[in-house]
Amino acid sequence: MSQAKVTTRTIFLYIPNLIGYSRVVLALASFYYMQWHPKYCTVLYGLSCLLDALDGAAARKYNQTSQFGAVLDMVTDRCTTSSLICYLCVVYPNWAPLFQLLVSLDLASHYMHMYAMLTSGSASHKKVGKRSKVLNLYYTNSTVLFLFCAFNELFFVGLYLYSFPLKTPPNLGYIFGIPLSYATIICIVSFPLWFGKQLINFIQMFRAALMLAEADVEEKNGVKKNL
């Protein structure tokens, strides 16, 4: 039997891509509730983030990997996180420059990394190889990738929840004069891996810049040799 012909409709209806669409819908719903209903927003946003781990597993299980799916996944990640940080800029205006820097670092590092990997002939932005031990571990170990991404989102969600005047259970006490709430605990626990994720973003951007510059050197020297 001949294999069924793959069309664009086939790609769009891949199971991992359908999961990706549901992530977008959940994220949009969380944005709607973000300003006035933190519980609904957190649940919807959390589900959108958790499905990020499911689409990759589905792609491997059903052999439905695609370039469209990879880009959809990355774009959804960047847009959801950036949108949450935009809200944090509103509720924490004094920290807006730092939040803007974090969004810029996140977008720049991932765009440069994907572009550098594609121009180098790599089939996927996750196939870093021996170019960087840190990035290779980050992209090839699913547990490491999940933990860093999850705790990165948790930290921002904790800041989001802290902006609401939620009652603090009396048994949680204080730390450095700050009343302990579930939001502060989330921020404290997730901070180390959140900070590590920012370092990974910087390393990723630096390595991508180096790869692109090395490619330019090879191209320019090749042009000179042919003259």
Side-chain angles (χ1 to χ4, degrees):
M1 293 180 63
S2 60
Q3 189 175 4
K5 184 178 180 181
V6 176
T7 64
T8 54
R9 186 175 184 273
T10 307
I11 300 298
F12 289 147
L13 293 180
Y14 272 178
I15 293 175
N17 294 340
L18 294 176
I19 295 174
Y21 306 146
S22 67
R23 290 188 62 206
V24 174
V25 173
L26 288 168
L28 291 174
S30 73
F31 300 159
Y32 173 77
Y33 288 109
M34 190 168 285
Q35 187 175 0
W36 56 280
H37 208 305
K39 291 183 180 179
Y40 287 175
C41 174
T42 302
V43 170
L44 292 166
Y45 189 91
L47 286 174
S48 178
C49 293
L50 287 175
L51 286 177
D52 185 24
L54 185 59
D55 62 359
R60 291 186 293 272
K61 180 178 180 179
Y62 298 104
N63 192 27
Q64 292 184 343
T65 58
S66 63
Q67 295 183 53
F68 169 74
V71 173
L72 174 66
D73 182 54
M74 179 175 285
V75 169
T76 303
D77 289 340
R78 305 284 70 76
C79 290
T80 51
T81 305
S82 299
S83 297
L84 177 56
I85 296 177
C86 285
Y87 182 83
L88 296 180
C89 287
V90 175
V91 295
Y92 301 110
N94 292 336
W95 292 95
L98 176 59
F99 290 134
Q100 290 172 317
L101 178 63
L102 292 175
V103 170
S104 299
L105 175 62
D106 189 40
L107 296 177
S109 67
H110 283 85
Y111 175 80
M112 291 178 65
H113 174 70
M114 177 169 278
Y115 189 84
M117 296 303 291
L118 289 175
T119 54
S120 68
S122 178
S124 169
H125 68 281
K126 292 185 177 181
K127 295 183 179 180
V128 180
K130 297 181 180 180
R131 296 183 180 92
S132 171
K133 292 182 179 180
V134 173
L135 295 180
N136 186 52
L137 175 64
Y138 177 73
Y139 279 117
T140 58
N141 190 309
S142 58
T143 302
V144 172
L145 179 62
F146 174 80
L147 287 175
F148 273 94
C149 291
F151 278 79
N152 180 65
E153 297 295 341
L154 272 175
F155 181 77
F156 290 125
V157 169
L159 291 178
Y160 163 71
L161 292 174
Y162 187 77
S163 68
F164 288 87
L166 302 177
K167 293 183 178 180
T168 304
N171 60 326
L172 295 183
Y174 292 78
I175 182 171
F176 302 118
I178 301 175
L180 278 179
S181 64
Y182 296 119
T184 54
I185 291 176
I186 290 173
C187 290
I188 292 170
V189 172
S190 61
F191 178 80
L193 288 184
W194 169 84
F195 185 75
K197 180 65 166 65
Q198 311 318 307
L199 292 178
I200 290 174
N201 282 345
F202 179 80
I203 293 172
Q204 182 170 256
M205 183 174 66
F206 175 77
R207 292 298 305 176
L210 188 61
M211 285 179 61
L212 292 171
E214 288 174 347
D216 285 334
V217 169
E218 293 179 2
E219 180 183 356
K220 300 299 181 184
N221 288 337
V223 170
K224 288 182 179 180
K225 289 180 182 179
N226 292 332
L227 291 176

